[in-house]
Amino acid sequence: MSRVSGLQLLGMLWLFSWMVVTEADSPIYKDPRQPVAVRIKDLMSRMKLEEKIGQMAQLDRLSATPEIMRTYSIGSVLSGGGSTPLPDATAKDWIDMINGFQKGSMSSRLGIPMIYGIDAVHGHNNVYNATIFPHNVGLGATRDPDLVKRIGAATALEARATGIPYVFAPCIAVCRDPRWGRCYESYSEDPKVVREMTEIIPGLQGDIPSNSRRGVPYVIPKNKVAACAKHFVGDGGTTKGANENNTAIDRHGLLSIHMPAYVDSVIKGVSTVMVSYSSWNGERMHANRELIMGFLKGTLKFKGFVISDWQGIDKLTSTPHANYTYSVQAGILAGIDMVMVPYNHTEFIDDLTLLVKKNVIPMDRIDDAVERILLVKFNLGLFENPMADLSFANELGSQGHRDLAREAVRKSLVLLKNGKNESEPLLPLPKKASKILVAGTHADNLGYQCGGWTINWQGFSGNNDTRGTTILAAIRATVDPTTDVVFQEDPSKQFVEENNFSYAIVVVGEPPYAETAGDSTDLTMKFPGPSIISNVCGGSVKCVVVVISGRPIVLEPYLDSVDALVAAWLPGSEGQGVADVLFGDFGFIGKLPRTWFKSVDQLPMNNGDAHYDPLFPFDFGLKTGASNGSVERSTSDGAVPRPCALALLVSAVVCFWVSNVESSLGFR
């Protein structure tokens, strides 16, 4: 054993004493060995009122700076639709920006990390080169909760690739009227289907630990993100599908149609819930204390944080922002914990501070909000690892994720018609033919096939804004090398008849849109879609029409002229999945997640309605086999995976639960 000199011994004693003093001086909230509840209590005891209120504010990246983050202890930053650090920003560009904000937060008095959030509603859709999955309406057509869970896991990895730990997804609206401009964000008109698709939450966040308490968000691994169930509640039931409007429905209807997916989400440990712009029987949801504080936080015992929508509290007055102090008061007292401000942080902070000092808003309401926000931050490990890095950069738009998206596209396609008579089906198409025609506005347009909420809020047109495979490119890659593929977006009848095509593929549908811009009273396809169908399918050439849309649109006038008809929804970046099924490498297995109406005069019309007379009913979908023997398996057929068994158990008691909840709240 070597001899220790007196000087060495003195040095060791000094180091030991320094460690003891440092540990004694180190705040409990910074000690990862302590229980989260203890850490939250310690941090709360150290926070000033202004720091607590700062945690309740979320700013858009355009109005945030490191200095603002430090000075006001801002709790969160977000990217609104299309809000990016640079055009075609890389993972490193995103991480550098986010770490800049985080450095500001970490340099504040208490060093409370901020949480960065983004809309990732069909993949990491704001980001260049990310995998764009089918929108929710298409995923609803798959009836495959396991697939949706895997998509959640892939989305989480791609978000983490850019340093983002929090996504505003999933949307669990139950769209009851396709005139609504957000209907494609809804999995189905049927609450049972929407409930099954809440399996995306453990995909995003990781499986809930076996010892986790109901309603309590749990520790989230580094390769996962905090999820957000939205928009609470009834956003899909507004009159005539008008966005942000009024849902006129009795309490039983609200609880049995629009609420069940929130019950499942809370049970699965969702970290946050976003409030809807809409109203319920005339009362704005952002001010509905009964449903937010009473039902969500009380009856369901949700312990995560409740966040407003973009300028959601501003819209509590008939003229937005007309009386902001009132809006702050009403929203916070209703139970909103974090406000998506997103620009004028000083006005929000000043108004809320004044309301607390005047005892209009009690301090325990502020404490409740901040404790919930801190719980999610601790669960994400932000206090131990606040800075993002490039560990997951290779996951962004990875081939594995694109293959998963391609699988999702295949399973989402719904075959509505196959042949003008049953004995002569057109699909699957032969790969080897002398010459084929591809036509339509959506055949060679990546932006159109991705839809809204892609790169920009309202989406884009063309093939340059991100990376993917158009349907035309997919067709060319699939057919035999000897097959001549001719593309004309809008061919004349004469051109079609003179060229002796073996068959034609027409791809038409809706342009991209998001939110109110997508509200529609006529639900017609984009011009000149109808004339393209007439020119191509009205003669002797056999044709299949592929409809790219976020919802059912008017099709009855064209039905007789087409040989085959496919609902492809908004398939996203991997158009190869469409060709996989058209040419028989895989069979059609999708089922309609929504009723396909004959005319808009019938709307709203949902499965089970007394006046139900659809063009194609809910759950409809013709099947085809794969010409090469490949079988696309969906968990809706055969054995039900374990997560779905839990959902079925919940389904068995939901009616009992609804009646008991109504009784306990005095509902009649």
Side-chain angles (χ1 to χ4, degrees):
M1 186 173 183
S2 61
R3 187 178 299 173
V4 179
S5 69
L7 188 61
Q8 287 175 316
L9 183 61
L10 184 64
M12 290 169 65
L13 288 171
W14 178 87
L15 180 61
F16 176 75
S17 63
W18 178 84
M19 290 172 64
V20 170
V21 170
T22 300
E23 187 154 317
D25 288 346
S26 181
I28 292 172
Y29 76 87
K30 291 187 176 181
D31 184 356
R33 297 169 299 180
Q34 299 295 327
V36 169
V38 172
R39 299 175 75 183
I40 291 173
K41 183 177 180 181
D42 177 67
L43 180 51
M44 290 290 293
S45 71
R46 299 169 187 269
M47 295 176 74
K48 300 175 182 178
L49 174 61
E50 56 265 34
E51 290 168 324
K52 292 179 178 179
I53 289 175
Q55 287 296 299
M56 297 171 67
Q58 184 180 63
L59 304 183
D60 184 81
R61 55 166 289 276
L62 293 172
S63 59
T65 67
E67 179 62 21
I68 288 172
M69 302 302 293
R70 183 187 69 80
T71 303
Y72 294 94
S73 191
I74 299 298
S76 182
V77 180
L78 84 151
S79 279
S83 183
T84 63
L86 293 167
D88 301 346
T90 65
K92 185 178 184 302
D93 293 329
W94 281 93
I95 287 171
D96 289 346
M97 176 192 70
I98 291 167
N99 282 347
F101 294 134
Q102 194 68 283
K103 287 174 184 175
S105 295
M106 299 308 294
S107 66
S108 64
R109 185 178 75 91
L110 294 171
I112 303 173
M114 67 88 189
I115 181 172
Y116 201 98
I118 197 166
D119 287 284
V121 297
H122 62 141
H124 198 13
N125 49 262
N126 264 318
V127 178
Y128 178 80
N129 198 39
T131 307
I132 306 300
F133 292 92
H135 266 297
N136 285 355
V137 65
L139 298 183
T142 71
R143 303 295 201 277
D144 193 338
D146 176 70
L147 171 68
V148 170
K149 182 178 181 180
R150 288 185 283 136
I151 289 171
T155 301
L157 281 170
E158 298 209 14
R160 284 291 195 174
T162 57
I164 297 175
Y166 177 30
V167 300
F168 307 131
C171 177
I172 53 173
V174 181
C175 176
R176 304 290 284 179
D177 193 322
R179 290 174 289 188
W180 186 35
R182 305 193 77 157
C183 205
Y184 62 78
E185 296 184 57
S186 168
Y187 293 107
S188 178
E189 71 185 41
D190 186 341
K192 298 187 191 71
V193 174
V194 178
R195 293 180 63 203
E196 290 172 358
M197 296 303 161
T198 59
E199 264 311 282
I200 196 172
I201 292 170
L204 290 164
Q205 297 192 160
D207 288 318
I208 188 168
S210 58
N211 60 347
S212 183
R213 288 193 297 129
R214 170 180 162 170
V216 180
Y218 48 91
V219 175
I220 295 171
K222 290 182 181 179
N223 62 342
K224 300 292 183 179
V225 295
C228 179
K230 65 182 189 183
H231 308 84
F232 187 83
V233 58
D235 52 340
T238 59
T239 301
K240 296 183 179 180
N243 191 41
E244 302 181 16
N245 212 275
N246 185 49
T247 296
I249 193 171
D250 62 22
R251 296 175 189 269
H252 178 80
L254 185 80
L255 291 176
S256 61
I257 295 173
H258 300 285
M259 192 67 78
Y262 286 95
V263 180
D264 291 283
S265 298
V266 170
I267 289 172
K268 292 175 181 179
V270 71
S271 294
T272 72
V273 171
M274 184 182 291
V275 182
S276 176
Y277 287 124
S278 59
S279 303
W280 176 44
N281 293 336
E283 182 177 0
R284 285 283 183 186
M285 277 305 308
H286 274 74
N288 196 314
R289 181 178 174 85
E290 175 190 5
L291 287 177
I292 300 173
M293 286 292 286
F295 192 87
L296 180 62
K297 293 183 174 182
T299 304
L300 297 187
K301 304 191 183 307
F302 172 63
K303 300 300 183 186
F305 71 78
V306 176
I307 187 169
S308 81
D309 209 330
W310 178 279
Q311 294 181 326
I313 64 170
D314 300 53
K315 298 183 180 184
L316 289 176
T317 48
S318 54
T319 301
H321 206 84
N323 186 344
Y324 194 63
T325 302
Y326 161 76
S327 295
V328 172
Q329 175 184 331
I332 300 302
L333 286 177
I336 293 171
D337 304 311
M338 181 178 282
V339 173
M340 198 180 290
V341 177
Y343 298 124
N344 194 340
H345 60 282
T346 54
E347 182 183 25
F348 170 74
I349 290 169
D350 291 347
D351 281 1
L352 184 51
T353 301
L354 182 65
L355 289 165
V356 173
K357 288 183 175 179
K358 286 186 173 183
N359 297 317
V360 176
I361 294 178
M363 195 64 210
D364 62 2
R365 174 72 273 272
I366 302 299
D367 287 343
D368 170 63
V370 179
E371 286 169 0
R372 291 167 178 273
I373 293 165
L374 293 177
L375 172 62
V376 174
K377 291 184 176 185
F378 277 116
N379 282 346
L380 282 166
L382 289 173
F383 282 82
E384 286 69 57
N385 298 290
M387 310 306 290
D389 59 41
L390 290 166
S391 299
F392 298 106
N394 290 338
E395 298 289 350
L396 188 66
S398 70
Q399 190 57 52
H401 295 166
R402 292 184 183 277
D403 290 343
L404 176 61
R406 182 173 172 179
E407 175 189 347
V409 174
R410 292 196 297 260
K411 291 182 174 180
S412 71
L413 302 178
V414 180
L415 182 57
L416 301 175
K417 180 179 180 180
N418 191 16
K420 291 185 176 177
N421 59 71
E422 291 184 7
S423 62
E424 296 182 15
L426 178 61
L427 301 176
L429 297 168
K431 294 180 182 179
K432 191 167 186 177
S434 59
K435 184 164 58 174
I436 66 173
L437 172 66
V438 179
T441 48
H442 292 57
D444 191 31
N445 195 311
L446 188 61
Y448 281 10
Q449 73 186 46
C450 288
W453 288 110
T454 308
I455 305 301
N456 301 305
W457 176 37
Q458 295 292 331
F460 68 95
S461 176
N463 298 329
N464 297 323
D465 288 42
T466 194
R467 188 166 68 89
T469 303
T470 67
I471 294 170
L472 173 62
I475 292 168
R476 284 178 166 152
T478 303
V479 297
D480 188 88
T482 63
T483 300
D484 183 14
V485 179
V486 177
F487 172 64
Q488 275 214 7
E489 184 173 302
D490 185 12
S492 67
K493 285 185 179 180
Q494 182 179 358
F495 176 83
V496 175
E497 291 300 322
E498 288 178 350
N499 272 274
N500 195 29
F501 292 111
S502 301
Y503 56 82
I505 302 170
V506 177
V507 192
V508 290
E510 293 186 298
Y513 54 80
E515 300 193 41
T516 305
D519 284 0
S520 173
T521 56
D522 55 21
L523 294 175
T524 54
M525 69 177 65
K526 177 179 171 58
F527 179 83
S531 65
I532 296 172
I533 294 175
S534 176
N535 289 348
V536 176
C537 304
S540 60
V541 178
K542 291 186 178 297
C543 77
V544 53
V545 172
V546 179
V547 180
I548 305 294
S549 68
R551 55 199 165 186
I553 58 175
V554 174
L555 286 182
E556 189 178 35
Y558 326 115
L559 194 58
D560 288 343
S561 64
V562 305
D563 294 277
L565 181 63
V566 176
W569 314 110
L570 298 170
S573 60
E574 304 312 302
Q576 193 66 51
V578 176
D580 286 343
V581 183
L582 287 180
F583 291 95
D585 290 335
F586 295 84
F588 283 91
I589 61 171
K591 300 177 182 179
L592 284 181
R594 308 201 47 77
T595 297
W596 207 295
F597 59 87
K598 292 177 180 176
S599 77
V600 292
D601 297 336
Q602 297 175 293
L603 301 176
M605 178 175 62
N606 294 283
N607 187 37
D609 288 352
H611 65 288
Y612 199 67
D613 182 27
L615 184 64
F616 301 106
F618 170 81
D619 218 33
F620 179 83
L622 301 174
K623 301 291 188 289
T624 62
S627 59
N628 65 356
S630 297
V631 178
E632 193 83 80
R633 299 199 181 278
S634 169
T635 55
S636 62
D637 298 318
V640 178
R642 216 167 144 187
C644 294
L646 173 61
L648 290 173
L649 178 62
V650 175
S651 295
V653 300
V654 71
C655 292
F656 174 79
W657 171 83
V658 167
S659 62
N660 275 274
V661 165
E662 290 176 335
S663 176
S664 68
L665 294 181
F667 291 175
R668 295 290 183 267

